[in-house]
């Protein structure tokens, strides 16, 4: 229940603000707060490789995944977005196989078809796929794939030490990129 509230609050936010401003504000404020916490705990950025690695990871996880969901939720109900995103672990299993070379567990091969079937039954309860799929829903599927890629890259790209610094870099980078794009695109 708590996990799904993320999508509810995104839907509420984009009712009054542009999706890009929601992403920029959310991640820039969160990133700066987390950076402050990381620095007070003695954590450091690391070198340029670590900064770049976590920036790329963050752009896939936050701008690609959450940014696309935030934009799509102007047109798609929050429950539907949460439902589509719920199959992210399935995408991650296959992306992990490609990026990290992690084998797909045998049990997953049995469970994955049931998971996909369950989500499809919830998406199309006896009405067929006719009016439910749209390009906004396709964006949410793309967001799910972006999350899986970012999660896999986070396992192989360089990262600084510490509990908070990797996430702080991811959030701050995404907030800065979204803020700059918002300023250029929509003006201040």
């Amino acid at each position: 229940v708590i996990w799904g509230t993320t999508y509810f609050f995104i839907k509420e936010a984009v009712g009054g603000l542009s999706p890009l401003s929601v992403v920029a504000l959310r991640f820039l404020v969160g990133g700066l707060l987390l950076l402050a916490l990381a620095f007070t705990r003695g954590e450091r950025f690391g070198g340029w490789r670590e900064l770049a690695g976590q920036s790329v990871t963050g752009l896939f996880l936050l701008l690609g995944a959450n940014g696309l969901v935030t934009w799509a939720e102007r047109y798609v109900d929050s429950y539907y977005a949460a439902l589509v995103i719920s199959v992210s672990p399935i995408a991650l299993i296959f992306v992990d196989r490609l990026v990290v070379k992690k084998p797909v567990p045998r049990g997953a091969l049995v469970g994955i078809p049931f998971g996909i079937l369950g989500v499809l039954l919830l998406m199309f309860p006896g009405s067929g796929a006719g009016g439910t799929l749209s390009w906004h829903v396709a964006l949410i599927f793309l967001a799910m794939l972006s999350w899986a890629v970012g999660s896999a890259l986070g396992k192989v790209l360089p990262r600084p030490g510490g509990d908070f610094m990797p996430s702080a870099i991811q959030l701050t980078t995404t907030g800065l990129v979204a803020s700059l794009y918002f300023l250029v695109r929509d003006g201040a």
Side-chain angles (χ1 to χ4, degrees), residues 10-58:
I10 289 172
K11 181 72 171 179
E12 291 299 308
V14 297
L17 300 169
S18 76
L20 199 52
S21 65
V22 169
V23 170
L25 184 64
R26 177 182 179 198
F27 294 128
L28 189 57
V29 170
L32 293 174
L33 289 172
L34 203 54
L35 270 176
L37 177 64
F39 284 135
T40 62
R41 295 175 46 96
E43 297 180 23
R44 298 290 171 244
F45 284 122
W48 284 106
R49 292 183 66 230
E50 290 82 7
L51 185 60
Q54 292 312 294
S55 294
V56 168
T57 299

Side-chain angles (χ1 to χ4, degrees), residues 7-187:
Y7 302 99
F8 170 76
F9 286 113
I10 289 172
K11 181 72 171 179
E12 291 299 308
V14 297
L17 300 169
S18 76
L20 199 52
S21 65
V22 169
V23 170
L25 184 64
R26 177 182 179 198
F27 294 128
L28 189 57
V29 170
L32 293 174
L33 289 172
L34 203 54
L35 270 176
L37 177 64
F39 284 135
T40 62
R41 295 175 46 96
E43 297 180 23
R44 298 290 171 244
F45 284 122
W48 284 106
R49 292 183 66 230
E50 290 82 7
L51 185 60
Q54 292 312 294
S55 294
V56 168
T57 299
L59 290 173
F60 273 100
L61 288 172
L62 304 172
L63 191 60
N66 287 352
L68 287 171
V69 168
T70 301
W71 189 81
E73 277 202 53
R74 287 193 94 162
Y75 310 97
V76 176
D77 287 327
S78 63
Y79 79 90
Y80 205 78
L83 181 62
V84 172
I85 293 297
S86 74
V87 296
S88 293
I90 294 170
L92 182 58
I93 287 172
F94 291 108
V95 173
D96 264 356
R97 176 71 183 128
L98 296 172
V99 175
V100 186
K101 307 295 185 227
K102 182 178 177 183
V104 177
R106 290 178 196 245
L109 292 173
V110 173
I112 287 171
F114 289 108
I116 292 172
L117 181 62
V119 169
L120 289 173
L121 287 173
L122 290 170
M123 288 174 66
F124 311 114
S127 62
T132 309
L133 286 180
S134 68
W135 65 281
H136 304 104
V137 173
L139 285 179
I140 297 173
F141 276 101
L142 184 59
M144 176 197 56
L145 184 59
S146 183
W147 183 268
V149 169
S151 295
L153 288 175
K155 296 173 187 173
V156 297
L157 292 178
R159 54 184 284 138
D163 296 325
F164 299 104
M165 189 56 73
S167 295
I169 293 170
Q170 293 169 12
L171 287 164
T172 305
T173 300
T174 299
L176 287 172
V177 169
S179 295
L180 289 172
Y181 186 71
F182 175 72
L183 291 174
V184 168
R185 184 173 176 260
D186 297 337

